[in-house]
Amino acid sequence: MPVYSMTGYASAQQSGASNPAETDAKVQPSRRLGIEIRAVNSRFLDLAFRLPDELRQQEPALRELLTAKLKRGKVELRASIDSIDTGSVPEPTPRLLQRLNSVQDQVRSWLPTATPLSVAEVIRLSSAEQHGVGELDEELLPLAEKVVKELLAARQREGARLAAMLHERLGQLRALAAQALPLVPQFVEQQRQRFLDRWKEAMALADGATLPEAAQDRALTEATAFAIRIDVAEEITRLDSHLDEIERLLKKGGELGKRLDFLIQELHREANTLGSKSAALELTRISVDMKVLIEQMREQVQNIE
């Protein structure tokens, strides 16, 4: 399965002739139905809808569609209905004018101070009637499915870029771990020699003189204790294990963002421990470089579904 990002955008429009409610309508303006979906990262699936009143009843169906296709992310779906022929004005039918006049008289009988309908409001109501809500309902879901498909494709492309970046960082972390392992025996040998040199000075022995056997034993004991304190083999082993698991998840794909986030936390913990055991500037540098790479991975993992 591919790796999906939670970030994406898609939109589509569909044009069609209006379905006039009255047969004696003189003007039949065409109209355009538009849908756009924006998605950003979020811990859970958070859906928001911005629909015109004519399409409000379709929100449950749209929610079901998005829930079936998306797992995580803050997703906003917007729908709009626009007239294509901006040069024409819908002409109200006589039957519509009669209904509006009747409703207005009834309202003003109860509310004498109510404002009469304006010409603009009558034209708007006429346009809404001529557009045909039933036809819009039939067009909405197929168009929404098309936009969701495009959104998934955009999220897949972004997910592929994120996965490529993570693979690159994984290779850099493995290279740093490979640099750290040989340093420990080298530092242990340096510490053993340093202890022997100080022991010579303390006993005021001449160069080339044989040290007492106790001094040799003490040097080995100190070197062993030092090796235990700075041994990072266990941390490197766990770090490699986490890197292997991340590579396995990226290859498997699917819904893996939360698991990757946990593994990134574990990587950061091992890099911190490596730094705390550092006995030389070189190991400290490796630890810092690791934490920089891990933080870069954390930022990108936050966008993976």
Side-chain angles (χ1 to χ4, degrees):
M1 293 180 65
V3 176
Y4 288 97
S5 168
M6 285 186 282
T7 302
Y9 173 83
S11 65
Q13 295 179 334
Q14 181 169 313
S15 302
S18 61
N19 184 23
E22 307 296 340
T23 57
D24 56 347
K26 296 181 180 179
V27 180
Q28 299 182 10
S30 58
R31 53 95 182 97
R32 178 187 295 115
L33 174 64
I35 294 179
E36 66 174 15
I37 303 178
R38 302 173 184 269
V40 295
N41 61 320
S42 177
R43 292 184 61 189
F44 307 101
L45 182 59
D46 182 7
L47 302 179
F49 297 89
R50 303 288 184 267
L51 305 175
D53 293 338
E54 298 92 330
L55 303 176
R56 183 64 61 185
Q57 70 277 8
Q58 291 294 329
E59 180 174 328
L62 292 171
R63 184 178 297 275
E64 182 178 356
L65 171 64
L66 294 180
T67 302
K69 299 294 184 179
L70 307 175
K71 303 303 179 183
R72 294 176 63 198
K74 183 177 178 63
V75 182
E76 181 182 80
L77 184 150
R78 289 179 177 269
S80 61
I81 303 171
D82 301 311
S83 175
I84 298 177
D85 188 2
T86 58
S88 64
V89 177
E91 181 177 339
T93 64
R95 186 178 301 181
L96 174 63
L97 292 174
Q98 290 175 0
R99 289 206 309 268
L100 292 177
N101 187 58
S102 175
V103 171
Q104 178 176 250
D105 289 343
Q106 184 178 2
V107 170
R108 298 195 70 185
S109 67
W110 289 91
L111 302 172
T113 59
T115 304
L117 285 171
S118 66
V119 174
E121 290 171 335
V122 172
I123 292 176
R124 179 177 59 80
L125 292 172
S126 175
S127 176
E129 179 171 283
Q130 292 181 17
H131 281 167
V133 174
E135 181 186 357
L136 292 176
D137 287 345
E138 294 177 359
E139 295 175 354
L140 180 64
L141 285 180
L143 185 59
E145 291 177 356
K146 176 183 176 182
V147 177
V148 170
K149 185 177 180 180
E150 294 179 359
L151 176 69
L152 289 174
R155 286 166 62 127
Q156 181 178 344
R157 291 192 297 270
E158 178 65 18
R161 288 192 288 269
L162 293 177
M165 188 281 294
L166 291 176
H167 279 298
E168 180 183 352
R169 298 297 186 273
L170 291 175
Q172 295 172 351
L173 285 172
R174 290 191 188 279
L176 289 173
Q179 294 176 25
L181 272 178
L183 293 178
V184 174
Q186 176 183 342
F187 294 150
V188 171
E189 178 58 28
Q190 291 175 356
Q191 181 69 7
R192 186 183 72 84
Q193 188 59 46
R194 189 178 301 116
F195 181 83
L196 289 174
D197 292 341
R198 286 202 298 265
W199 190 271
K200 286 182 181 180
E201 295 174 3
M203 299 184 65
L205 294 176
D207 290 342
T210 303
L211 287 173
E213 186 176 350
Q216 298 280 3
D217 293 341
R218 180 67 182 275
L220 291 175
T221 301
E222 289 292 331
T224 301
F226 177 75
I228 293 174
R229 288 198 305 271
I230 71 168
D231 185 16
V232 294
E234 185 177 351
E235 285 73 19
I236 297 298
T237 299
R238 286 198 296 265
L239 189 141
D240 282 336
S241 175
H242 297 327
L243 296 180
D244 290 340
E245 180 63 12
I246 292 176
E247 286 188 340
R248 187 190 71 81
L249 289 175
L250 291 175
K251 183 178 180 180
K252 178 182 178 183
E255 187 180 354
L256 48 83
K258 292 182 179 180
R259 298 184 66 181
L260 287 178
D261 188 55
F262 170 76
L263 290 170
I264 293 297
Q265 295 179 26
E266 294 301 307
L267 285 177
H268 197 271
R269 180 178 293 110
E270 302 304 335
N272 271 334
T273 305
L274 181 66
S276 66
K277 287 187 173 184
S278 174
L281 184 61
E282 184 65 16
L283 271 179
T284 301
R285 180 194 64 79
I286 290 175
S287 173
V288 171
D289 289 346
M290 281 184 172
K291 286 190 281 189
V292 170
L293 293 173
I294 293 169
E295 190 60 32
Q296 292 174 354
M297 294 174 66
R298 185 199 305 274
E299 293 176 0
Q300 302 306 321
V301 163
Q302 299 299 321
N303 292 318
I304 293 180
E305 187 175 58

